[in-house]
Amino acid sequence: MPELPEVETIARNLREGRLGLQVPGQKIADISNDWRRQIAMPDWESFHEQLCGQTILDVQRRGKYLVFPCSKGTLLIHLRMSGDILLADHHQPAGGHEHTIFYFADGWSMRFSNTRKFGRVFYTTNPAAIYDKLGPEPLGDIFTANWFYSRLSRRKRKIKPLMMDQSFLAGMGNIYTDEALHRAHIHPERNADTLSFKEAETLWQYIRETLEEGIQRQGASIDWIYRGGDFQNAFQVYHRTGLPCPTCGTAIERILVGQRSTHFCPACQPETVP
DNA sequence: AGCGTCACCCGGACGC
DNA sequence: TGCGTCCGGGTGACGC
């Protein structure tokens, strides 16, 4: 479930050396892979041949992608739900879920651990083709209240799946969407075009506040994946089915919206359009 | 084009 | 205890 704040935290940790090694400046000496489908593009042989010898120049984030600009092209990693990036000594044996390992020239290695095999690795000289399929960054300048309202007003889809559509807005996942909708007092099944400007503006504000708080807390640690973050302690609705709403005390309900588990307060987030 | 549904995976929770 | 079954998470393919 790495969403924008979790991916941002991992990018910062790798960039700034908080995991014991600064990744920018590292030269890729070799790469191993024991599950070919993890390499989304190009084919494994080309991936290996083209990337070996390149130096990683930076670690960035776009949407939920980790972006590693290299000397000749760009390496991208999408963690999907159970992915993580580990740094370890060259000689440490591969863990059972470390399907792609980048061996650096100085003796360290960067490992893509991916328990449920949903994550994907990309190498391209044209990352813009990937970025072009994504909506704006929720914390960027393009995403304004006016932009949000004008786009919402053209869509009939339910607000929650639309917020999670990466081609609409890049970075929201199930957790931060449920939390932002609760803070904005908007029911997850409202049709997007029924939101007033005021509601859209409020939701816009809480999307940004929720993500910023998530980043400040270094993301959420849930299930067995612990990354050091503690946003899980700030959840008001997510994974709190039956517990009292922190705002009004009403029991939090869980429903399915677009096949996704959805948590909301029936009192704070009424379904009827005001 | 927009929208909904399903497959992809597997560790953990749950039921018996 | 051990076994079987279900669940969930993000995304792309697919159908309407």
Side-chain angles (χ1 to χ4, degrees):
Chain A
M1 46 234 60
E3 305 178 28
L4 188 154
E6 287 76 24
V7 179
E8 179 65 30
T9 299
I10 292 169
R12 290 182 184 185
N13 287 344
L14 297 174
R15 186 169 63 237
E16 294 164 16
R18 292 189 210 157
L19 304 179
L21 174 77
Q22 265 188 308
V23 170
Q26 294 293 323
K27 181 178 176 182
I28 300 170
D30 197 7
I31 309 168
S32 71
N33 172 275
D34 71 357
W35 197 65
R36 295 289 188 256
R37 281 169 60 194
Q38 189 163 74
I39 311 297
M41 72 184 302
D43 61 275
W44 160 249
E45 286 73 20
S46 305
F47 178 87
H48 184 269
E49 183 186 333
Q50 292 174 37
L51 206 42
C52 286
Q54 291 202 41
T55 298
I56 296 176
L57 304 177
D58 197 5
V59 186
Q60 304 165 350
R61 177 193 59 75
R62 174 73 172 96
K64 299 175 192 171
Y65 287 89
L66 279 170
V67 180
F68 302 82
C70 298
S71 31
K72 295 179 186 166
T74 304
L75 168 70
L76 299 100
I77 298 180
H78 197 303
L79 303 171
R80 294 275 183 101
M81 77 157 287
S82 60
D84 202 0
I85 303 290
L86 313 173
L87 298 176
D89 182 89
H90 237 247
H91 302 292
Q92 184 171 315
H97 304 297
E98 297 168 9
H99 300 299
T100 303
I101 302 182
F102 301 86
Y103 294 97
F104 296 146
D106 79 342
W108 282 72
S109 60
M110 179 171 79
R111 301 163 181 234
F112 180 19
S113 173
N114 191 210
T115 310
R116 289 178 189 169
K117 291 186 171 178
F118 279 177
R120 292 292 182 266
V121 182
F122 308 73
Y123 172 72
T124 177
T125 52
N126 181 27
I130 291 173
Y131 305 155
D132 285 350
K133 294 174 189 165
L134 300 175
E137 286 291 322
L139 298 177
D141 295 336
I142 296 173
F143 184 60
T144 62
N146 283 326
W147 182 95
F148 193 41
Y149 175 68
S150 77
R151 298 304 174 112
L152 290 181
S153 65
R154 295 181 221 162
R155 306 291 291 264
K156 297 198 176 304
R157 205 173 176 187
K158 289 173 181 172
I159 184 66
K160 173 168 174 175
L162 183 59
M163 285 167 69
M164 292 176 63
D165 183 337
Q166 302 301 297
S167 67
F168 180 78
L169 186 63
M172 300 295 286
N174 212 32
I175 295 174
Y176 293 89
T177 300
D178 278 2
E179 293 296 324
L181 284 167
H182 175 261
R183 293 180 189 208
H185 288 191
I186 292 170
H187 191 284
E189 295 187 291
R190 287 276 301 280
N191 291 323
D193 63 0
T194 68
L195 268 68
S196 67
F197 177 80
K198 187 68 199 161
E199 288 177 314
E201 185 182 39
T202 303
L203 182 55
W204 168 80
Q205 178 193 335
Y206 282 118
I207 286 171
R208 294 168 67 106
E209 281 194 21
T210 307
L211 291 173
E212 280 168 357
E213 186 182 344
I215 292 172
Q216 193 175 6
R217 289 173 170 270
Q218 302 186 62
S221 304
I222 63 174
D223 290 352
W224 69 100
I225 302 177
Y226 179 72
R227 294 193 187 82
D230 72 337
F231 185 70
Q232 68 278 11
N233 297 323
F235 288 169
Q236 304 198 15
V237 288
Y238 186 78
H239 269 196
R240 296 194 67 248
T241 309
L243 296 172
C245 168
T247 305
C248 73
T250 305
I252 299 301
E253 288 186 11
R254 176 184 171 279
I255 58 174
L256 282 183
V257 180
Q259 322 292 99
R260 314 319 302 245
S261 155
T262 298
H263 313 77
F264 73 106
C265 169
C268 291
Q269 298 165 265
E271 187 161 14
T272 51
V273 180

